[in-house]
Amino acid sequence: MTLRIGNFSGFYGDRSDALREMLTGGEVDVLTGDYLAELTMLILGRDRLKDPGAGYARTFLRQLEECLALVHDKRVKIVTNAGGLNPAGLAARVRELSERLGVPLRVAHVEGDDLTAAHPGSLAAHAYLGGFGIAACLRAGADVVVTGRVTDAALVTGPAAAHFGWPADAYDQLAGAVVAGHVLECGTQATGGNYAFFTEGPGDVGRPGFPLAELHEDGSAVITKHPGTGGFVDVGTVTAQLLYETAGARYAGPDVTARLDTVRLRQDGPDRVRIEGVRGEAPPPTLKVGRNRLGGFRNEVVFVLTGLDVEAKAALVRRQLAPALGKVADVRWELVRTDRPDAATEETASALLRLVVRDADQQAVGRALSGAAVELALASYPGFHVLAPPGKGAPYGVFEDAHVPQDAVEHVAVLPDGRRVPVAPAPGSAVPEDVPEPPLPGPPPDGPTRRAPLGLVAGARSGDKGGHANVGVWARTDAAWSWLAHTLTADRFRALLPETAPLPVTRHVLPRLRALNFVVEGILGEGVAAQARFDPQAKALGEWLRSRHLDIPEALL
C-alpha cells in the first residue's frame, strides 16, 4: 500500500502553475504546499498589522481557484501551511471559493500555534506543531487542510499517519516520513534546483519538475517526480536536500526525532532514489517557538570606487560621513574588491563600498544619512557615484527562537463539520544523550596532489536557521569521502572561510551520507530579516567553500 505525496510549493513565491502541473502530470494522492519561512512569518505579521483579516499566503488562493475542479475530480487531498498567522481565515476563504465555483470540498484547519499574546513585543510568535492535527482532519474526511506554523515535515507526517494508521509512538515510521518530508519541503531543490553539480545531471535543470515521495507503511520511501518533467532525481540531489538546514545526527521535531545518521540512500532507477533504514526516537519535551519582532530601521547605500586609490577613496568617504553617523546605533562598512587592474570595462575596474546603518530612530538612518551621502556628490573622491540613492529607512525584523513545554500548547484540529478536536502532545518525550561521533573512514589515498577547488570532488548546500548557518558538504565516492572526512576539519573550514574564523563552528559527521555538516553560530546576526550580511540567508556559503583551493589527491581529480 503506497501513498504518493507530492509538493507544489517550496516557499511563498514559488512557481504559480506548479499545482496544476502536479495534478495533471501523473498519479498523486496528496499534494503539499509549504509557504512558511522565518522571513515569511514576519511579512505576514506586517500584513496583519494593516489588515487583521490578512496574515495568510494569498497566492495559494489564486493557485487553488485555477485548479479547484481538478482537485475534486482527481480526489487529491491538499495540505498546506499557507494559513500562516491566520489558518481559520484562509480556511474560510477556501470554503467561499468552493461555494462560488460550485465545487464541493470539505475544508478543515489546524490551530493552536499562535503564542503571540504570551510573548509581549513580538509581531508574531508561533510554536512549530507536528502532523497529528493534520491527520485528525484527514481522518474526518477533509479534502483541504490548512495549517499555520507546523514543521515543514509535518505536511507529510500528517497524511502518512492518517493513511497508514500509525500511532503517535511509531517512531521509526514517523522518522521515515520526516526524512521524506524534509526532502520534499523545498520543492525543486530535490530535483536539480540549486544543485552543486547541476552541469553534470542527466536532466535539464532549466525548469525542474516538483518532487513526490512514494511512502510505504514501514516508513521507507522513494523520491521521484512526474514523467517528462525537467530536472533529475539522484542520490546527490536527495543528499543535498537532506543536509539543508539540518545539523547533526538528530533531527528533532514535535512528532519524533529522526536519526539522520541511520538514513540509507540508493538509486532505484532513473529519477528514483530509495530512502530506507531511518530510525526514530521520542521527540524532545519542548516545542520550538519562532518569534519575530521589529528591530528598528535600516538604510543602505553602496558607493562605487573606480580605478586607482580604492583604499584611499574608501577612507575619504568614511571620514566625510563620520559626523552624520556619530549617533547611529549600528554602522557597518564593507569594502568589496570586485575591481581588477588594467580592466577592460569600467564595471570590472570598480570596487563597491557598502554602508549599512541600523537604529531604533527612523530619522537617524533616513534623512540624516540621505542628506549627508547626497551632499558628497561633488565633494568627495574622483568618479563619485552610488548604485542607488539611500531611502528614508525601512523597518527590519529580528528572529529569535524559544522553547515551551509540549503540553503548554493547545493543538486543535478544526474538522470540516466545525468540531474542535484537541490533539494530544507526543506520548513520550526525551532529552537525549549526545550521539558519539562515528569512526572516520580509512585514511585518504596516497600519491601526488594538485591545488584545485574543493568543489571538484565535493558538493555543498547551505542555509539559515535564525542567526546561524549550516553548510552540508558531501562526497560522491568512497575515496573522496575518505579524503574529505580527514581533511575538512572545523579548523580547516574556518581557514577556508575567514569570515567564520572568530565564530563557533561545529562539525557533524554523517558517514552513511558520506557527508559533513558544519554549523556556524552567529554568522547571520539577528536573522535574515535583519539583513546584517551580504548573503543574509547563507544560501551561497557552501558555493564559496567549494570555490576555495586545497591540495587534493590527483587520483580524485
Side-chain angles (χ1 to χ4, degrees):
M1 186 167 57
T2 300
L3 178 67
R4 295 172 62 87
I5 302 182
N7 172 280
F8 66 88
S9 176
F11 70 102
Y12 193 9
D14 213 339
R15 277 200 334 241
S16 61
D17 59 354
L19 179 56
R20 178 175 293 276
E21 181 180 301
M22 292 301 289
L23 286 166
T24 59
E27 292 299 315
V28 66
D29 302 307
V30 180
L31 285 175
T32 63
D34 182 7
Y35 292 80
L36 301 185
E38 293 165 1
L39 181 60
T40 312
M41 297 297 279
L42 178 69
I43 292 169
L44 296 177
R46 291 175 62 182
D47 286 349
R48 192 170 59 173
L49 284 178
K50 301 172 187 174
D51 176 6
Y56 53 79
R58 290 186 170 94
T59 53
F60 169 70
L61 274 178
R62 292 198 292 272
Q63 290 173 288
L64 189 62
E65 181 170 6
E66 296 172 2
C67 299
L68 206 65
L70 268 174
V71 170
H72 177 265
D73 293 345
K74 290 182 171 287
R75 298 183 179 180
V76 172
K77 306 289 187 181
I78 304 292
V79 179
T80 179
N81 60 18
L85 278 58
N86 188 5
L90 179 56
R93 301 291 87 74
V94 173
R95 290 188 194 95
E96 292 170 5
L97 182 65
S98 172
E99 292 172 6
R100 176 164 60 84
L101 297 182
V103 179
L105 286 178
R106 293 161 294 184
V107 183
H109 73 275
V110 176
E111 58 186 44
D113 59 298
D114 192 348
L115 303 181
T116 307
H119 293 270
S122 296
L123 185 61
H126 291 255
Y128 288 69
L129 303 179
F132 279 89
I134 296 169
C137 293
L138 292 170
R139 287 183 183 128
D143 301 304
V144 177
V145 181
V146 174
T147 78
R149 178 74 279 187
V150 297
T151 64
D152 300 337
L155 301 178
V156 171
T157 60
H163 182 77
F164 295 117
W166 293 337
D169 60 356
Y171 294 138
D172 289 347
Q173 294 94 322
L174 287 166
V178 163
V179 169
H182 182 60
V183 174
L184 294 186
E185 70 185 51
C186 289
T188 54
Q189 278 196 169
T191 57
N194 298 354
Y195 182 53
F197 301 108
F198 72 99
T199 61
E200 303 175 22
D204 181 8
V205 296
R207 186 182 169 86
F210 278 70
L212 60 90
E214 298 171 357
L215 261 72
H216 305 292
E217 191 167 4
D218 64 356
S220 64
V222 171
I223 304 299
T224 183
K225 63 185 185 71
H226 281 329
T229 55
F232 56 97
V233 178
D234 66 14
V235 169
T237 65
V238 174
T239 299
Q241 181 55 28
L242 272 178
L243 296 172
Y244 183 64
E245 294 182 348
T246 60
R250 286 191 169 97
Y251 187 54
D255 296 323
V256 65
T257 295
R259 289 289 298 261
L260 299 183
D261 55 344
T262 65
V263 177
R264 294 198 302 270
L265 305 178
R266 63 180 172 88
Q267 200 72 36
D268 198 41
D271 292 322
R272 293 177 63 82
V273 171
R274 183 170 295 277
I275 301 174
E276 53 195 359
V278 186
R279 301 300 301 272
E281 299 172 343
T286 58
L287 297 179
K288 178 181 173 182
V289 179
R291 300 189 304 198
N292 284 279
R293 61 178 174 84
L294 295 178
F297 295 87
R298 179 186 182 279
N299 209 350
E300 176 178 341
V301 61
V302 179
F303 301 90
V304 183
L305 315 175
T306 304
L308 305 177
D309 305 317
V310 166
E311 300 282 350
K313 289 171 180 174
L316 176 58
V317 174
R318 295 184 63 157
R319 179 160 56 88
Q320 289 176 310
L321 283 179
L325 301 177
K327 295 183 179 180
V328 176
D330 184 20
V331 178
R332 304 186 186 204
W333 291 94
E334 183 179 16
L335 178 59
V336 184
R337 295 302 302 264
T338 50
D339 55 307
R340 305 174 195 168
D342 194 23
T345 66
E346 183 178 339
E347 189 170 3
T348 55
S350 301
L352 302 176
L353 178 63
R354 181 172 178 247
L355 168 63
V356 176
V357 293
R358 301 193 301 174
D359 198 280
D361 180 6
Q362 186 174 17
Q363 274 201 324
V365 302
R367 192 177 306 160
L369 174 62
S370 298
V374 171
E375 287 170 4
L376 294 181
L378 305 179
S380 190
Y381 60 85
F384 178 97
H385 66 286
V386 297
L387 291 184
K392 62 181 181 180
Y396 72 89
V398 172
F399 177 85
E400 301 160 331
D401 59 56
H403 291 83
V404 298
Q406 286 227 20
D407 58 8
V409 175
E410 297 182 3
H411 188 177
V412 175
V414 184
L415 306 184
D417 61 6
R419 284 183 296 139
R420 300 175 61 84
V421 177
V423 179
S429 60
V431 179
E433 298 178 1
D434 290 338
V435 177
E437 183 166 308
L440 295 181
D446 292 326
T449 62
R450 176 160 31 110
R451 198 77 176 165
L454 172 64
L456 294 183
V457 296
R461 179 167 287 166
S462 54
D464 63 311
K465 279 294 182 185
H468 307 330
N470 94 288
V471 183
V473 187
W474 78 94
R476 295 187 287 179
T477 67
D478 289 339
W481 165 236
S482 178
W483 174 82
L484 183 71
H486 286 274
T487 303
L488 193 58
T489 62
D491 287 341
R492 178 65 63 86
F493 181 95
R494 290 190 188 93
L496 292 172
L497 304 184
E499 185 183 353
T500 70
L503 301 172
V505 175
T506 303
R507 183 179 98 148
H508 301 278
V509 181
L510 299 168
R512 288 192 174 182
L513 297 176
R514 291 194 295 229
L516 304 171
N517 213 344
F518 296 87
V519 177
V520 186
E521 297 180 33
I523 191 171
L524 303 179
E526 295 172 304
V528 56
Q531 297 183 13
R533 186 178 178 272
F534 164 68
D535 173 17
Q537 289 182 284
K539 294 290 190 183
L541 198 59
E543 286 302 293
W544 178 25
L545 178 66
R546 293 182 70 237
S547 74
R548 298 309 310 267
H549 288 219
L550 295 88
D551 294 321
I552 300 175
E554 288 189 354
L556 301 180
L557 298 172

